[in-house]
Amino acid sequence: QVQLVESGGELVQAGDSLRLSCAVSGRSSGVLAMSWFRQAPGKEREFVGGIVRGGTFPSYADSVKGRFTISRDNAKNTLYLQMNSLKPEDTAVYYCASHGRFAIRVAVTPVEYDYWGQGTQVTVSS
């Protein structure tokens, strides 16, 4: 089992920056990839960005490319999502997710992930 706990979500204004954290515990040695997803009210959960184990360069959705950055601290077993130039359309519940299926690519669909955090709310006011 892998446990994921997100934190850092809050209400901010358009143009602000925010950093989300995802703490990993449990059988983290089996995690081969981790990603961030988000879900706005009335919309499907969508891929934001992710990285595979041993990977150097994360993959990002076009909607956040150039504004969001994924990083990780292996010593702390924590994944981060740095969000800059936030827009009202970034408002959503943000989730981190992990799987131990493969590491050859970043999976972009929710069904490919086995473990999920509880989510953290990010609200961007205009």
Side-chain angles (χ1 to χ4, degrees):
Q1 290 284 340
V2 175
Q3 291 80 44
L4 306 174
V5 179
E6 304 96 334
S7 61
E10 62 180 84
L11 171 64
V12 296
Q13 293 187 334
D16 285 353
S17 297
L18 199 59
R19 189 178 79 161
L20 305 183
S21 300
C22 175
V24 184
S25 61
R27 298 184 64 180
S28 58
S29 60
V31 172
L32 295 182
M34 292 193 67
S35 289
W36 289 95
F37 286 78
R38 66 186 182 186
Q39 188 166 19
K43 294 188 177 181
E44 294 187 352
R45 193 167 296 190
E46 65 172 0
F47 173 78
V48 174
I51 189 166
V52 299
R53 187 173 188 172
T56 303
F57 303 106
S59 296
Y60 299 96
D62 288 343
S63 58
V64 306
K65 202 171 291 184
R67 299 188 298 123
F68 291 11
T69 303
I70 288 174
S71 63
R72 58 190 169 192
D73 186 330
N74 292 329
K76 295 183 178 180
N77 267 352
T78 301
L79 184 74
Y80 301 100
L81 180 66
Q82 177 67 42
M83 304 185 292
N84 298 330
S85 302
L86 282 162
K87 305 175 182 180
E89 50 264 44
D90 293 319
T91 295
V93 177
Y94 283 72
Y95 300 90
C96 68
S98 72
H99 72 74
R101 299 169 187 262
F102 50 80
I104 59 173
R105 61 173 176 84
V106 175
V108 299
T109 59
V111 294
E112 297 178 280
Y113 288 82
D114 300 313
Y115 298 102
W116 293 84
Q118 82 289 350
T120 186
Q121 177 71 48
V122 173
T123 304
V124 184
S125 64
S126 57

